[in-house]
Amino acid sequence: MEAKENVIIKLTFQFALEIVKYCEDLQLTKKFVIANQLLKSGTSIGANIREAQNAESKADFIHKFKIAAKEIEETTYWLELCKYSENYPNTDELIEQINNISRIVNKIIITSKQK
């Protein structure tokens, strides 16, 4: 990672690592469909935010963050589905992390629109 610390990049990268671990646990118990969906949406949040760092314009930057916000919603859906389904590993910590990421991403979108 770059020398200058970018909090949202760091948070989303750490979250993606946690999602990878969680999905590996799901795959061990043959919960492949949800594992695949969650892996895609949970790791694409950080990927879109990384892409936004090299945006071609402010509109492009905001657009990438809005895509990340959509992926956050989808990931939250899959995590809540796991939380309320029987025989799934605990998702409370992941839900807490994604709620924190969501607050920051939404704040960045709002702030970027105002500039």
Side-chain angles (χ1 to χ4, degrees), residues 95-108:
I95 290 172
E96 187 178 320
Q97 286 178 42
I98 201 157
N99 287 340
N100 185 35
I101 289 168
S102 181
R103 280 190 292 277
I104 295 168
V105 165
N106 286 321
K107 203 170 279 188
I108 289 169

Side-chain angles (χ1 to χ4, degrees), residues 7-69:
V7 173
I8 194 62
I9 286 177
K10 184 178 178 186
L11 285 174
T12 54
F13 189 77
Q14 285 303 124
F15 179 75
L17 291 174
E18 294 295 323
I19 285 292
V20 168
K21 269 194 266 181
Y22 186 84
C23 290
E24 286 172 349
D25 289 346
L26 291 182
Q27 289 172 339
L28 290 175
T29 55
K30 302 199 182 329
K31 293 171 173 60
F32 299 115
V33 174
I34 290 184
N36 290 339
Q37 294 288 339
L38 184 56
L39 188 62
K40 286 179 195 171
S41 65
T43 56
S44 80
I45 299 164
N48 280 292
I49 288 172
R50 279 273 181 99
E51 262 189 69
Q53 304 310 301
N54 291 302
E56 295 173 23
S57 64
K58 184 167 83 166
D60 187 36
F61 178 86
I62 293 168
H63 178 69
K64 298 273 191 284
F65 264 83
K66 283 186 171 183
I67 293 170

Side-chain angles (χ1 to χ4, degrees), residues 72-88:
I72 288 168
E73 288 303 315
E74 181 180 344
T75 303
T76 301
Y77 172 80
W78 293 118
L79 289 172
E80 288 175 352
L81 196 60
C82 291
K83 178 180 176 141
Y84 294 105
S85 295
E86 287 184 32
N87 304 313
Y88 276 76

